């Protein structure tokens, strides 16, 4: 009944049924795992991330046995990473994902999802070229092992690796990966923005900025538009630093800082860039 009410968009009733189901299933590991998975998915869907975190933590404390991890429990662990990121605890999410991957033999699809979370972190929030390269190798092996992978998931994964290659200054490898998802350019905002960054790194600043602006236009929420705009100005600034144009670089970094709804971690990176810029 909980899932039925969720699908009918009766959130209050669904929540009551989920809580009641948890109480009834406390002594049955398989049953409680399925309920916790569905309940946490429901809470994430409702953007109740703190509540989801409490449900997951309680389950992991009382019912989780690391030596005997079922597929549904692997998905519960993935939910924990998603919730931590939603709560902006990205460093903790990354540390936990790394521990999970080291200790547990995940199903390939779930492992790929975890690696996607990691590569996003290491290419945006805490740039780490060594870790990027290692994760890309692992992702490439998983893509070979998953020939029937959902098209959208594969495109998102290739886009993540292409972006990471650009961050680690591997233009040739980035070009190969962008080519594999070129059909998504002008349709998917993330792929379009990655192609824009590729153009920036290739020296075509005007085209790169045009593609970033196009990507922003494809986004639906004001929050996402603000984040993309902040990233565009930041990457333009870094491009001008590479070209030796410190005056334009400074202007772009300041524009990036002024964007409403931008990311705090990127503002920190911008401050670091501004401190290290030589006189223009």
């Amino acid at each position: 009944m909980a899932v039925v009410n969720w699908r009918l968009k009766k959130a209050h009733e669904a929540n009551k049924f989920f809580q009641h189901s948890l109480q009834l299933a406390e002594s049955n590991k398989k049953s409680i795992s399925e309920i916790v998975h569905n309940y946490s998915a429901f809470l994430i869907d409702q953007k109740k991330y703190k509540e989801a975190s409490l449900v997951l933590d309680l389950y992991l404390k009382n019912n989780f046995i690391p030596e005997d991890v079922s597929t549904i429990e692997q998905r519960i662990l993935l939910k924990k990473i998603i919730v931590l990121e939603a709560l902006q605890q990205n460093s903790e999410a990354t540390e936990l994902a790394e521990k999970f991957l080291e200790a547990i033999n995940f199903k390939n699809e779930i492992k790929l999802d975890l690696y996607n979370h990691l590569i996003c972190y290491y290419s945006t929030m805490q740039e780490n070229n060594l870790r990027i390269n290692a994760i890309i190798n692992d992702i490439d092996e998983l893509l070979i092992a998953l020939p029937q992978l959902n098209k959208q998931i594969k495109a998102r994964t290739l886009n993540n690796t292409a972006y990471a290659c650009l961050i680690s200054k591997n233009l040739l490898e980035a070009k190969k990966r962008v080519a594999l998802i070129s059909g998504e350019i002008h349709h998917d905002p993330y792929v379009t923005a990655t192609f824009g960054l590729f153009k920036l790194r290739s020296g075509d600043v005007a085209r790169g900025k045009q593609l970033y602006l196009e990507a922003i236009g494809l986004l639906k929420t004001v929050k996402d538009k603000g984040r993309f705009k902040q990233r565009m100005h930041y990457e333009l600034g870094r491009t001008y630093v590479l070209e030796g144009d410190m005056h334009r670089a400074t202007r772009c970094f300041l524009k990036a800082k002024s964007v409403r709804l931008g990311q705090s971690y990127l503002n920190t990176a911008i401050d670091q860039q501004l401190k290290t810029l030589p006189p223009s």
Side-chain angles (χ1 to χ4, degrees):
M1 288 299 294
V3 174
V4 171
N5 277 279
W6 177 16
R7 289 174 178 168
L8 292 172
K9 302 187 184 303
K10 296 180 179 180
H12 181 70
E13 290 82 354
N15 192 62
K16 287 197 300 184
F17 277 113
F18 273 123
Q19 290 181 348
H20 183 61
S21 298
L22 274 179
Q23 292 172 353
L24 293 176
E26 283 181 355
S27 61
N28 186 321
K29 182 185 176 187
K30 181 180 178 182
S31 177
I32 198 170
S33 297
E34 293 174 352
I35 294 166
V36 166
H37 176 267
N38 290 335
Y39 191 21
S40 59
F42 163 75
L43 291 170
I44 290 168
D45 181 64
Q46 299 296 307
K47 301 191 186 312
K48 294 183 176 181
Y49 304 118
K50 290 183 180 179
E51 292 90 333
S53 185
L54 289 173
V55 169
L56 291 166
D57 287 344
L58 189 62
Y59 172 81
L60 293 173
K61 179 182 178 181
N62 296 332
N63 302 89
F64 181 65
I65 303 172
E67 294 77 21
D68 180 25
V69 186
S70 65
T71 300
I72 195 75
E73 288 177 311
Q74 291 180 23
R75 296 192 184 282
I76 287 172
L77 296 177
L78 177 59
K79 289 285 190 294
K80 179 60 181 175
I81 302 302
I82 293 169
V83 166
L84 284 172
E85 290 182 346
L87 292 170
Q88 298 187 346
Q89 297 175 23
N90 299 85
S91 179
E92 294 88 339
T94 299
E95 183 179 346
L96 198 58
E98 293 278 25
K99 288 181 180 178
F100 287 163
L101 284 164
E102 186 175 341
I104 298 167
N105 184 24
F106 284 93
K107 296 285 186 182
N108 282 340
E109 294 87 346
I110 303 171
K111 189 184 294 186
L112 181 64
D113 212 332
L114 286 168
Y115 277 130
N116 269 310
H117 285 276
L118 288 178
I119 202 164
C120 288
Y121 178 81
Y122 289 123
S123 61
T124 57
M125 296 188 175
Q126 190 67 48
E127 293 181 16
N128 183 330
N129 291 348
L130 286 176
R131 196 69 189 102
I132 283 172
N133 292 334
I135 292 171
I136 286 175
N137 289 335
D138 290 329
I139 285 176
D140 286 347
E141 290 181 7
L142 286 169
L143 289 176
I144 293 171
L146 293 166
Q148 304 302 319
L149 186 65
N150 174 278
K151 181 182 176 183
Q152 287 184 322
I153 295 174
K154 184 174 183 179
R156 175 169 62 91
T157 301
L158 287 169
N159 183 64
N160 289 341
T161 60
Y163 179 85
C165 287
L166 290 168
I167 295 302
S168 61
K169 299 180 174 62
N170 190 342
L171 284 182
L172 184 60
E173 189 61 33
K175 183 178 182 179
K176 293 177 184 176
R177 292 169 189 274
V178 169
L180 293 172
I181 49 175
S182 59
E184 300 295 322
I185 299 169
H186 311 304
H187 302 286
D188 183 289
Y190 293 89
V191 176
T192 305
T194 297
F195 192 50
L197 181 58
F198 172 73
K199 287 297 184 181
L200 290 181
R201 291 290 184 268
S202 301
D204 192 347
V205 177
R207 179 62 174 149
K209 183 177 180 180
Q210 180 185 24
L211 284 160
Y212 255 111
L213 291 171
E214 184 179 344
I216 292 167
L218 290 170
L219 292 163
K220 299 190 182 301
T221 70
V222 173
K223 186 176 182 179
D224 285 340
K225 288 177 185 288
R227 289 178 174 181
F228 268 52
K229 188 177 292 185
Q230 181 193 34
R231 175 62 68 171
M232 177 188 73
H233 289 307
Y234 176 66
E235 296 298 352
L236 279 166
R238 294 215 288 187
T239 299
Y240 287 128
V241 169
L242 293 172
E243 293 182 353
D245 191 337
M246 301 308 158
H247 178 68
R248 283 186 173 179
T250 300
R251 285 179 58 192
C252 288
F253 288 141
L254 292 175
K255 281 183 179 180
K257 278 209 71 172
S258 70
V259 172
R260 285 181 60 250
L261 303 175
Q263 299 274 35
S264 59
Y265 75 85
L266 200 51
N267 282 330
T268 301
I270 293 164
D271 287 336
Q272 292 173 346
Q273 289 277 357
L274 289 168
K275 285 178 183 176
T276 58
L277 280 182
S280 56

